[in-house]
Amino acid sequence: MNVNRFIVLSKSIQIGKRLLACHVRHAGKEVPHFQQQRSIKTNSRNLAYAKDLFLGQVNKAEVFPFPEIGNEEVEEINQLVAPVEKFFNEEVDSARIDREAKIPPETLNGLKELGLFGIMIPEEYGGLGLSNTMYARLAEIISLDGSIAVTLAAHQAIGLKGILIAGNEAQKQKYLPKLASGEHIAAFCLTEPGSGSDAASIQTRATLSEDGKHYLINGSKIWISNGGMADIMTVFARTEVIEDGVKKDKISAFIVERAFGGITSGKPEDKLGIRGSNTCEVSFDNVPVPLENVIGEIGGGFKIAMNILNSGRFSMGSSSAGMIKKLIEMTSEYAATRKQFNKSLSEFGMIQEKFALMALNAFVMESMAYLTAGMMDRPGLPDCSIEAAMVKVFSSEGGWICVSEALQVLGGLGYTKNYPYERYVRDCRILPIFEGTNEILRMYIALTGMQYAGKVLTGKIKEMKKGNIGLVLGMAGKKLRTTFGGSVDLGLTGKDGVVHPSLAESTKKLEQNVSFFGSTVESLLYRYGKTIVDEQLILKRVADVLINLYAMTAVLSRASRSISIGLRNHDHEVLLANTFCGDAFFKNNYMMTQLQKYSPENNDANIKKIARAVLENRAYICSHPLERTY
Amino acid sequence: MSGRVLVGVKRVIDYAVKIRVKPDNTGVVTDGVKHSMNPFCEIAVEEAVKLKEKKLIKEVVAVSCGPQQAQETIRTALAMGADRGIHVEVAGKDYETLGPLQVSKILAALAKKEDAQLIILGKQAIDDDCNQTGQMTAALLDWPQGTFASEVSLEGDKVKVVREIDGGLETIKINTPAVVTADLRLNTPRYATLPNIMKAKKKKIANVKPADLGVDLTSRLEVLRVDEPPQRQAGMKGSTELSRRDS
């Protein structure tokens, strides 16, 4: 390997600055001594598990054993779940909410009284003070109605999160109590007509007033959930800051009360799904915001926005899982009783496949969601933003496929409004779009990991240049082993293994995938260097492989624990885990093969050609098949 | 008057669950099945808490007899507004044969020990449908009883109870201390809100053994066999001639 070239390219890796600007505390300083990477926090954030997969390593301690919560907490969760389930079964008329495109005030009041508006707000401010794991558990039930789920999430997972994670004591004391009780509803105002995925390009401005005591906010935001009824909004606007004597335009976060005046909400958007959730335009016309309502530092708004969004994503895993579990119950009733060709539907292979698909998806989503939540609940506040993003991508797409298949089981009946399946399909369509489109999240997942890998590899190169012979031999040996297809052992199975023997085969597949992935990432970094940012089709595969690896890790960890402690139906879990891993193993290998140099399986060049032709002409360009030339 | 009300709450299989009989026909499947508070017991708790909110009584004590899991049911009662709980530990074989006679002996003993002014129970449990515990408890204590109550009001040291009976509604006035059993239309139980559940964690649940109360749990009944009800047969379509003639 060309050592010098590698140093040059990895030093110049300034990956997706716009995308990741907030996340990187710039590595402009020395590349850290890589052995001490974990203890020194001067450089990258304390990233959790996924980053090491990019190096072909499995960080066992982070994910094995599967996170457990204390007995008392389990009892508490069960206690909390019961009344919420009861409420949703008895008092929530989802069909009516969908039809009338609003949540009836009695239902909203019931939710407030149950305490669901302040799930993660600490008890001292009037909330329930529950952990991420408990929030995920409640999300399983709340997702039974999409509109309610989005209203609650917009309020607490993003709307008031800024105050929670970055607000000062005075702001918390002032705003959190009423937000916890639901007296005030919160909204998150970032997106603008010209700035969706490209959040850093927002144009709303906050200028200092003449007396210097207020900021005046001007601009308009769109797609704001709860925009029509929110009393407290977290608004992001550009402010002028002076950095090192230079005037710069940076984004800041503000707590804005509707009572400040100057705020108008447009009419509610007529949406395909989650129709009961209020979504509208919000315009700000010289809205005066007192200086003490700035969240965090002036100029630090973008980072706060990203932290807020990153912290709420993981719950999509458990809410999708909860919804799929409900769908399995409903559709299996039908499949068992409906007969055609003198057999009940449940005896036909293609129908059985759909149920297996739903069960597998629910299993993986649950495992990923609770693994991530468990990691996030660990002391030390590990940064699980990549893991949360992976959960979101997998769950949104898996959920979409499963609701579609569930509707298919019902056939024509599923297509009518008499049954809730079409509503589930409509409600689910938003999942891959909001909270960060899946396209953006795939870029984030892939690039953050590759940046980390790049840095570590640079560190190793430097070491070798210093003459660390042991390291050189180690790396050379590893290269030889993988080239000659030796067996991979990352320490997950065997004597010091962390998985149960019945999962050993699947774990070996995971280890093989991880090792292949590590070397694939390395070769990609060599091949492309910093231009990898523009290779979206490559990054998409990298992200997809990583998501599969994380999913495999989650199911193996969970199934291992279930067997070890003897949970009911643990052999079914082993079956699900092995099935998923077997499938994912082949898919990963295929994708990674496509990523190798000059891979014949890779059609990207052709795909780009086709796309270019179509987009240039803004139409389908083939001549009609019936046309003649003579 | 002590102003103390004892409310009995029973942990039963949730009403929405599809019951299945065990393959050996000795009972129904309870393992891994969702359990919750008997709906009539919820109504009883609600009534007791309402009386406390109206300041007609001073303390609501929730009682449940059963294994460790019975504590969940007591916690739900605490979250609905009961002040403290008593868990009478009955497990294993004793729990399998626990029936109205044994429970009423326990409740009678507790009522004396706690100097209760009123005992409110659900009229029956949805798993065994016995409809006996309230009546037996009153008999053992030699207290008056107001069963199938659809309205309860405290008037001085007497209780006025409107009872739902086959012929309509019967209003009676009984002396306290008394036993009242709740019927469906007595009230609509409140949801145990999550903040109340968190607060209820601090309320106390005392553990008691039946032996401490001097109660003998031996059963006079033996369950021989449990079967599913016969499958519903299809109905028969009557002739239209017949129905026209009758109308």
Side-chain angles (χ1 to χ4, degrees), chain A residues 42-56:
Chain A
T42 51
N43 207 25
S44 43
R45 335 191 277 293
N46 184 10
L47 293 176
Y49 166 74
K51 64 186 199 285
D52 289 317
L53 293 176
F54 281 84
L55 299 172

Side-chain angles (χ1 to χ4, degrees), chain A residues 316 360 476 485 620:
Chain A
M316 197 179 282
L360 281 165
Y620 175 67

